[in-house]
Amino acid sequence: MSRDNKSGYTHFGFEEVPVSDKQKRVAGVFTSVAAKYDVMNDVMSMGIHRIWKRFAIDLAAVRPGEKVLDVAGGTGDLAREFSKAAGPKGLVVLSDINAAMLGEGRSRLADKGIVNVPVTQLNAEKVPFPDDTFDLITIGFGLRNVTDKDAALRSMTHCLKPGGRLLVLEFSKPLSAPLAKLYDQYSFKFLPLMGKLVANDADSYRYLAESIRMHPDQQTLKGMMEGAGLSRVQVYNLTGGIVAVHRGFKL
């Protein structure tokens, strides 16, 4: 019988684990890959992840003076662009639950001369900011690693100002069967091999491939965002649905 987080178990890739264990195990994955994370993104996506992120940045449409929270912001590539758009009168906060990833982000922002982006370690399920704080909250390639996705969506939504928007950039479900078959071959053979060769860590990249398969599909995530209190939720499929951007607005 399948068990979910309501009965004390959740998914870590294809494996069922106690809810209390998942956060620690995900932390182990990202601590392991932090130093090679950007290099592996380029290898895994053949550079296409930069196009996906550019689409999300353009869709976010950050305006001067806005307040932005980047959740699971990792190495800071989204926060960097948001900071440029928000300008000196705006505020962009880079956050991540993983200290190693956050350290990489802080260093990379500093290397680019960006010193006006506060960095904070936080859990997406319990965002520690007051309600109605941010104009925009983003979570890029991080929601699938959250133990309680519904709690995270609610928490982020509470922190949005009325009319503010939540943007989720995440791997999703290919829209055609032939593409899905090719994608499976790529994910379960190529990714662990590249993880071993480039990052000396095949297991972490096998988990990442499995976590993508366990993530809700486009319409399910849309419904979850609506259930969290967001309206006008739009879905933008990229690369045949391999990646999707969901954007919703707080009532």
PDB file of all heavy atoms in Angstrom, residues 141-160:
ATOM      1  N   PHE A 141      13.377  25.411  -9.576  1.00  0.00           N
ATOM      2  CA  PHE A 141      13.917  24.053  -9.467  1.00  0.00           C
ATOM      3  C   PHE A 141      14.125  23.646  -8.005  1.00  0.00           C
ATOM      4  O   PHE A 141      15.102  22.980  -7.665  1.00  0.00           O
ATOM      5  CB  PHE A 141      15.218  23.925 -10.271  1.00  0.00           C
ATOM      6  CG  PHE A 141      15.036  24.200 -11.737  1.00  0.00           C
ATOM      7  CD1 PHE A 141      15.649  25.304 -12.333  1.00  0.00           C
ATOM      8  CD2 PHE A 141      14.237  23.394 -12.521  1.00  0.00           C
ATOM      9  CE1 PHE A 141      15.472  25.568 -13.682  1.00  0.00           C
ATOM     10  CE2 PHE A 141      14.045  23.653 -13.867  1.00  0.00           C
ATOM     11  CZ  PHE A 141      14.663  24.747 -14.455  1.00  0.00           C
ATOM     12  N   GLY A 142      13.198  24.064  -7.146  1.00  0.00           N
ATOM     13  CA  GLY A 142      13.308  23.726  -5.737  1.00  0.00           C
ATOM     14  C   GLY A 142      12.068  23.094  -5.153  1.00  0.00           C
ATOM     15  O   GLY A 142      12.157  22.351  -4.170  1.00  0.00           O
ATOM     16  N   LEU A 143      10.908  23.351  -5.743  1.00  0.00           N
ATOM     17  CA  LEU A 143       9.669  22.875  -5.126  1.00  0.00           C
ATOM     18  C   LEU A 143       9.607  21.357  -5.058  1.00  0.00           C
ATOM     19  O   LEU A 143       9.076  20.796  -4.094  1.00  0.00           O
ATOM     20  CB  LEU A 143       8.454  23.418  -5.889  1.00  0.00           C
ATOM     21  CG  LEU A 143       7.093  23.119  -5.261  1.00  0.00           C
ATOM     22  CD1 LEU A 143       6.971  23.717  -3.873  1.00  0.00           C
ATOM     23  CD2 LEU A 143       5.957  23.620  -6.154  1.00  0.00           C
ATOM     24  N   ARG A 144      10.165  20.674  -6.034  1.00  0.00           N
ATOM     25  CA  ARG A 144      10.061  19.212  -6.032  1.00  0.00           C
ATOM     26  C   ARG A 144      10.837  18.585  -4.874  1.00  0.00           C
ATOM     27  O   ARG A 144      10.590  17.426  -4.513  1.00  0.00           O
ATOM     28  CB  ARG A 144      10.544  18.632  -7.365  1.00  0.00           C
ATOM     29  CG  ARG A 144      12.028  18.683  -7.579  1.00  0.00           C
ATOM     30  CD  ARG A 144      12.433  18.131  -8.944  1.00  0.00           C
ATOM     31  NE  ARG A 144      13.863  18.015  -9.075  1.00  0.00           N
ATOM     32  CZ  ARG A 144      14.677  19.030  -9.359  1.00  0.00           C
ATOM     33  NH1 ARG A 144      14.186  20.248  -9.560  1.00  0.00           N
ATOM     34  NH2 ARG A 144      15.977  18.837  -9.453  1.00  0.00           N
ATOM     35  N   ASN A 145      11.761  19.339  -4.283  1.00  0.00           N
ATOM     36  CA  ASN A 145      12.544  18.807  -3.167  1.00  0.00           C
ATOM     37  C   ASN A 145      11.923  19.117  -1.801  1.00  0.00           C
ATOM     38  O   ASN A 145      12.434  18.657  -0.787  1.00  0.00           O
ATOM     39  CB  ASN A 145      13.964  19.388  -3.217  1.00  0.00           C
ATOM     40  CG  ASN A 145      14.702  18.994  -4.474  1.00  0.00           C
ATOM     41  OD1 ASN A 145      14.824  17.810  -4.786  1.00  0.00           O
ATOM     42  ND2 ASN A 145      15.194  19.974  -5.211  1.00  0.00           N
ATOM     43  N   VAL A 146      10.845  19.893  -1.803  1.00  0.00           N
ATOM     44  CA  VAL A 146      10.181  20.252  -0.545  1.00  0.00           C
ATOM     45  C   VAL A 146       9.328  19.078  -0.057  1.00  0.00           C
ATOM     46  O   VAL A 146       8.627  18.441  -0.838  1.00  0.00           O
ATOM     47  CB  VAL A 146       9.301  21.503  -0.749  1.00  0.00           C
ATOM     48  CG1 VAL A 146       8.494  21.806   0.504  1.00  0.00           C
ATOM     49  CG2 VAL A 146      10.166  22.699  -1.134  1.00  0.00           C
ATOM     50  N   THR A 147       9.384  18.803   1.228  1.00  0.00           N
ATOM     51  CA  THR A 147       8.632  17.671   1.773  1.00  0.00           C
ATOM     52  C   THR A 147       7.128  17.894   1.660  1.00  0.00           C
ATOM     53  O   THR A 147       6.401  17.043   1.152  1.00  0.00           O
ATOM     54  CB  THR A 147       9.025  17.444   3.246  1.00  0.00           C
ATOM     55  OG1 THR A 147      10.435  17.218   3.326  1.00  0.00           O
ATOM     56  CG2 THR A 147       8.293  16.232   3.808  1.00  0.00           C
ATOM     57  N   ASP A 148       6.639  19.040   2.131  1.00  0.00           N
ATOM     58  CA  ASP A 148       5.207  19.354   2.093  1.00  0.00           C
ATOM     59  C   ASP A 148       5.002  20.528   1.127  1.00  0.00           C
ATOM     60  O   ASP A 148       5.102  21.695   1.509  1.00  0.00           O
ATOM     61  CB  ASP A 148       4.707  19.701   3.496  1.00  0.00           C
ATOM     62  CG  ASP A 148       3.184  19.803   3.566  1.00  0.00           C
ATOM     63  OD1 ASP A 148       2.556  20.068   2.515  1.00  0.00           O
ATOM     64  OD2 ASP A 148       2.626  19.633   4.671  1.00  0.00           O
ATOM     65  N   LYS A 149       4.730  20.205  -0.116  1.00  0.00           N
ATOM     66  CA  LYS A 149       4.610  21.240  -1.145  1.00  0.00           C
ATOM     67  C   LYS A 149       3.412  22.156  -0.898  1.00  0.00           C
ATOM     68  O   LYS A 149       3.481  23.354  -1.145  1.00  0.00           O
ATOM     69  CB  LYS A 149       4.526  20.595  -2.532  1.00  0.00           C
ATOM     70  CG  LYS A 149       5.770  19.803  -2.911  1.00  0.00           C
ATOM     71  CD  LYS A 149       5.585  19.061  -4.226  1.00  0.00           C
ATOM     72  CE  LYS A 149       6.829  18.256  -4.582  1.00  0.00           C
ATOM     73  NZ  LYS A 149       7.147  17.217  -3.578  1.00  0.00           N
ATOM     74  N   ASP A 150       2.299  21.590  -0.418  1.00  0.00           N
ATOM     75  CA  ASP A 150       1.130  22.411  -0.138  1.00  0.00           C
ATOM     76  C   ASP A 150       1.435  23.446   0.947  1.00  0.00           C
ATOM     77  O   ASP A 150       1.040  24.617   0.839  1.00  0.00           O
ATOM     78  CB  ASP A 150      -0.056  21.539   0.285  1.00  0.00           C
ATOM     79  CG  ASP A 150      -0.626  20.738  -0.868  1.00  0.00           C
ATOM     80  OD1 ASP A 150      -0.945  21.344  -1.913  1.00  0.00           O
ATOM     81  OD2 ASP A 150      -0.750  19.508  -0.745  1.00  0.00           O
ATOM     82  N   ALA A 151       2.150  23.025   1.982  1.00  0.00           N
ATOM     83  CA  ALA A 151       2.513  23.953   3.052  1.00  0.00           C
ATOM     84  C   ALA A 151       3.424  25.057   2.520  1.00  0.00           C
ATOM     85  O   ALA A 151       3.283  26.230   2.899  1.00  0.00           O
ATOM     86  CB  ALA A 151       3.200  23.212   4.195  1.00  0.00           C
ATOM     87  N   ALA A 152       4.348  24.696   1.640  1.00  0.00           N
ATOM     88  CA  ALA A 152       5.254  25.691   1.068  1.00  0.00           C
ATOM     89  C   ALA A 152       4.498  26.706   0.214  1.00  0.00           C
ATOM     90  O   ALA A 152       4.742  27.912   0.305  1.00  0.00           O
ATOM     91  CB  ALA A 152       6.335  25.000   0.240  1.00  0.00           C
ATOM     92  N   LEU A 153       3.574  26.221  -0.593  1.00  0.00           N
ATOM     93  CA  LEU A 153       2.798  27.132  -1.442  1.00  0.00           C
ATOM     94  C   LEU A 153       1.961  28.084  -0.587  1.00  0.00           C
ATOM     95  O   LEU A 153       1.865  29.278  -0.880  1.00  0.00           O
ATOM     96  CB  LEU A 153       1.916  26.330  -2.397  1.00  0.00           C
ATOM     97  CG  LEU A 153       2.659  25.556  -3.491  1.00  0.00           C
ATOM     98  CD1 LEU A 153       1.705  24.606  -4.208  1.00  0.00           C
ATOM     99  CD2 LEU A 153       3.316  26.503  -4.490  1.00  0.00           C
ATOM    100  N   ARG A 154       1.373  27.565   0.484  1.00  0.00           N
ATOM    101  CA  ARG A 154       0.588  28.429   1.376  1.00  0.00           C
ATOM    102  C   ARG A 154       1.474  29.456   2.067  1.00  0.00           C
ATOM    103  O   ARG A 154       1.126  30.635   2.169  1.00  0.00           O
ATOM    104  CB  ARG A 154      -0.159  27.587   2.421  1.00  0.00           C
ATOM    105  CG  ARG A 154      -1.303  26.758   1.871  1.00  0.00           C
ATOM    106  CD  ARG A 154      -2.169  26.213   3.007  1.00  0.00           C
ATOM    107  NE  ARG A 154      -1.407  25.377   3.931  1.00  0.00           N
ATOM    108  CZ  ARG A 154      -1.267  24.054   3.803  1.00  0.00           C
ATOM    109  NH1 ARG A 154      -1.829  23.411   2.783  1.00  0.00           N
ATOM    110  NH2 ARG A 154      -0.574  23.375   4.696  1.00  0.00           N
ATOM    111  N   SER A 155       2.628  29.010   2.532  1.00  0.00           N
ATOM    112  CA  SER A 155       3.530  29.893   3.260  1.00  0.00           C
ATOM    113  C   SER A 155       4.026  31.022   2.363  1.00  0.00           C
ATOM    114  O   SER A 155       4.048  32.200   2.766  1.00  0.00           O
ATOM    115  CB  SER A 155       4.710  29.092   3.811  1.00  0.00           C
ATOM    116  OG  SER A 155       5.603  29.918   4.523  1.00  0.00           O
ATOM    117  N   MET A 156       4.414  30.683   1.153  1.00  0.00           N
ATOM    118  CA  MET A 156       4.891  31.709   0.226  1.00  0.00           C
ATOM    119  C   MET A 156       3.763  32.671  -0.148  1.00  0.00           C
ATOM    120  O   MET A 156       3.977  33.892  -0.232  1.00  0.00           O
ATOM    121  CB  MET A 156       5.503  31.050  -1.009  1.00  0.00           C
ATOM    122  CG  MET A 156       6.813  30.336  -0.720  1.00  0.00           C
ATOM    123  SD  MET A 156       7.655  29.697  -2.206  1.00  0.00           S
ATOM    124  CE  MET A 156       6.616  28.279  -2.619  1.00  0.00           C
ATOM    125  N   THR A 157       2.573  32.133  -0.349  1.00  0.00           N
ATOM    126  CA  THR A 157       1.437  32.979  -0.713  1.00  0.00           C
ATOM    127  C   THR A 157       1.118  33.978   0.390  1.00  0.00           C
ATOM    128  O   THR A 157       0.842  35.158   0.119  1.00  0.00           O
ATOM    129  CB  THR A 157       0.200  32.114  -1.030  1.00  0.00           C
ATOM    130  OG1 THR A 157       0.499  31.262  -2.148  1.00  0.00           O
ATOM    131  CG2 THR A 157      -1.001  32.972  -1.370  1.00  0.00           C
ATOM    132  N   HIS A 158       1.167  33.550   1.639  1.00  0.00           N
ATOM    133  CA  HIS A 158       0.894  34.461   2.757  1.00  0.00           C
ATOM    134  C   HIS A 158       1.843  35.656   2.741  1.00  0.00           C
ATOM    135  O   HIS A 158       1.453  36.772   3.107  1.00  0.00           O
ATOM    136  CB  HIS A 158       1.027  33.727   4.097  1.00  0.00           C
ATOM    137  CG  HIS A 158      -0.123  32.826   4.420  1.00  0.00           C
ATOM    138  ND1 HIS A 158      -1.432  33.236   4.334  1.00  0.00           N
ATOM    139  CD2 HIS A 158      -0.160  31.529   4.842  1.00  0.00           C
ATOM    140  CE1 HIS A 158      -2.232  32.235   4.684  1.00  0.00           C
ATOM    141  NE2 HIS A 158      -1.479  31.185   4.982  1.00  0.00           N
ATOM    142  N   CYS A 159       3.075  35.431   2.326  1.00  0.00           N
ATOM    143  CA  CYS A 159       4.086  36.494   2.366  1.00  0.00           C
ATOM    144  C   CYS A 159       3.988  37.456   1.190  1.00  0.00           C
ATOM    145  O   CYS A 159       4.705  38.455   1.150  1.00  0.00           O
ATOM    146  CB  CYS A 159       5.484  35.890   2.425  1.00  0.00           C
ATOM    147  SG  CYS A 159       5.817  35.014   3.972  1.00  0.00           S
ATOM    148  N   LEU A 160       3.120  37.163   0.223  1.00  0.00           N
ATOM    149  CA  LEU A 160       2.916  38.065  -0.906  1.00  0.00           C
ATOM    150  C   LEU A 160       1.973  39.196  -0.530  1.00  0.00           C
ATOM    151  O   LEU A 160       1.017  39.005   0.224  1.00  0.00           O
ATOM    152  CB  LEU A 160       2.317  37.313  -2.093  1.00  0.00           C
ATOM    153  CG  LEU A 160       3.233  36.388  -2.894  1.00  0.00           C
ATOM    154  CD1 LEU A 160       2.409  35.601  -3.898  1.00  0.00           C
ATOM    155  CD2 LEU A 160       4.325  37.185  -3.608  1.00  0.00           C
TER     156      LEU A 160
END
